[in-house]
Amino acid sequence: MSGPRTLAVETSCDETAVAVLDGDGRVEANLLASQIAAHAPYGGVVPELASREHLGSLPRLVEGALGAARGEIGLVAVTAGPGLLGALLVGVRFASAFAWARGLPLVAVDHLHGHLASPFLDLDGGAARAMPSRVLALVASGGHSSWYLCLDGEPRRLSRTRDDAAGESLDKVAQVLGLPYPGGPVVDRLARLGDPGAVDLPRPRLADSALDVSFSGLKSAAIRFVRAHRLEGVGEDDPPMLALDLLASFERAVVDQLLAPAAELVAEHRPDLIAASGGVAANTLLRRRLGLVGEATGVEVLLPPLALTTDNAAMIGRAGQLDHARGRSADPRRLDAHARRAWQPPGMRKLPSPGGVR
Ligand code: KG4
Ligand code: ZN
């Protein structure tokens, strides 16, 4: 597929991101302004602050990305949901105005579809890889822990978490230990120093589903262990061995939970490829264990470049290109942002999604 060169904008949460992809999905620019420092004093993302930060960063990033583009832009892609409403609106309005003023087509991208597209991108100057027709895809982030079957690019959810997302549980346990937000990267680093067999943690299974998973019982057990051994607030500089052992054991249990449905899903759906994406797909142990799943099942495993696991605009640009190639578009005078998780961009097939599901 060679389509239009694409400007992509992502402002769904606390990273302002802008990218340019050529018509074959080659990444020409992938810029990011992190807001971690702005939100750090509050211990979490403050929605109003996120919107203001996006407003401040977006023009500069767009200018930088356009400067790096190797030709004319022919398409604008923007994340329209799900996410923080005010934050999304900044990107949607900016992208809509840009597209309208230049008479360019606009596509509204679902953030999840962006993550699903991320493993197919290359940051070393290569074209995006084509998606085979049957992809079994894990999305594990601060908001998602689900497996999808993407049939010719259309995702259908096969398994989900019934409570916390994997990243959310990592972040919460890290917070109790006094580790900086977001906890995932620090847990990844410190877990390498501990013994993953040292602390016995539960891996709860659901009585009514062999495929859905749960993280809250595991998270609570880890937090109880922290309190029982007075490890609250130990911090990242010189944590006691017991904290490192707990982190290694907890990380292993989280990865076990994420991968619990994998073998059954591969056997049932016979994918051409297994892919993983989302911030937690940066995790060292998860990447290694996915490789083992690939070896055991004989199915190729494809992971995104590390820089494209967490939120970025390159993935939104690629998802937008695939949507555009299917004839989807949005009206720049009418496009709105949608905060609900169940929301799908205009023209998208509705996914079955019971209320409150991530
Ligand atoms: O995809 P993402 O940037 O944002 C969401 O859409 O949620 O994912 C962020 C999540 C956070 O929970 C963060 O702690 C986690 O990804 N994360 C990691 C790692 N890097 C980021 N979790 C485990 N290991 C990592 N290396
Ligand atoms: Zn995300």
Side-chain angles (χ1 to χ4, degrees), residues 183-306:
V186 197
V187 174
D188 193 340
R189 184 163 50 78
L190 297 180
R192 307 277 75 74
L193 309 171
D195 171 6
V199 181
D200 193 23
L201 293 169
R203 282 130 172 96
R205 307 295 332 143
L206 296 155
D208 63 339
S209 166
L211 295 176
D212 284 355
V213 294
S214 157
F215 292 93
S216 83
L218 167 59
K219 174 196 71 185
S220 303
I223 292 175
R224 273 198 303 278
F225 185 92
V226 170
R227 300 220 164 102
H229 294 85
R230 305 197 180 289
L231 294 169
E232 295 109 316
V234 292
E236 62 174 328
D237 291 338
D238 190 18
M241 199 59 217
L242 193 57
L244 300 176
D245 286 345
L246 171 72
L247 286 173
S249 306
F250 178 60
E251 181 196 63
R252 182 151 96 181
V254 168
V255 171
D256 284 348
Q257 290 296 82
L258 278 173
L259 296 183
E264 189 172 335
L265 293 177
V266 173
E268 189 179 339
H269 298 284
R270 308 243 156 245
D272 305 315
L273 187 77
I274 299 170
S277 58
V280 182
N283 182 264
T284 310
L285 180 65
L286 178 61
R287 292 173 85 93
R288 200 187 303 146
R289 290 273 304 276
L290 276 164
L292 297 179
V293 171
E295 278 171 29
T297 57
V299 181
E300 185 192 353
V301 173
L302 186 67
L303 300 170
L306 279 184

Side-chain angles (χ1 to χ4, degrees), residues 31-254:
L31 306 180
L32 196 82
S34 170
Q35 303 181 0
I36 288 181
H39 297 284
Y42 305 95
V45 178
V46 182
E48 174 61 24
L49 192 55
S51 311
R52 288 177 198 214
E53 292 280 320
H54 288 311
L55 266 178
S57 305
L58 206 44
R60 175 172 57 81
L61 292 187
V62 169
E63 207 176 322
L66 292 177
R70 288 182 213 127
E72 286 293 304
I73 301 294
L75 175 69
V76 180
V78 62
T79 308
L84 301 170
L85 189 60
L88 285 163
L89 272 173
V90 176
V92 163
R93 289 282 173 266
F94 193 104
S96 299
F98 187 95
W100 189 76
R102 297 184 184 216
L104 296 174
L106 176 70
V107 275
V109 176
D110 185 321
H111 185 79
L112 172 72
H113 291 214
H115 279 302
L116 288 169
S118 64
F120 299 89
L121 289 169
D122 174 19
L123 282 181
D124 298 322
R129 185 172 156 173
M131 251 187 230
S133 74
R134 302 176 71 81
V135 179
L136 182 65
L138 170 68
V139 181
S141 69
H144 286 94
S145 302
S146 302
W147 286 90
Y148 297 84
L149 182 65
C150 297
L151 281 182
D152 298 319
E154 294 285 357
R156 176 162 68 90
R157 195 180 54 218
L158 304 173
S159 152
R160 63 178 168 101
T161 174
R162 293 284 182 88
D163 38 59
D164 294 346
E168 196 181 359
S169 68
L170 287 162
D171 293 340
K172 283 191 184 146
V173 170
Q175 187 186 23
V176 180
L177 286 165
L179 307 177
Y181 180 87
V186 197
V187 174
D188 193 340
R189 184 163 50 78
L190 297 180
R192 307 277 75 74
L193 309 171
D195 171 6
V199 181
D200 193 23
L201 293 169
R203 282 130 172 96
R205 307 295 332 143
L206 296 155
D208 63 339
S209 166
L211 295 176
D212 284 355
V213 294
S214 157
F215 292 93
S216 83
L218 167 59
K219 174 196 71 185
S220 303
I223 292 175
R224 273 198 303 278
F225 185 92
V226 170
R227 300 220 164 102
H229 294 85
R230 305 197 180 289
L231 294 169
E232 295 109 316
V234 292
E236 62 174 328
D237 291 338
D238 190 18
M241 199 59 217
L242 193 57
L244 300 176
D245 286 345
L246 171 72
L247 286 173
S249 306
F250 178 60
E251 181 196 63
R252 182 151 96 181
V254 168

Side-chain angles (χ1 to χ4, degrees), residues 12 111 115 141 144 278-279 309-311 315:
S12 66
H111 185 79
H115 279 302
S141 69
H144 286 94
T309 53
T310 46
D311 291 349
M315 69 182 193

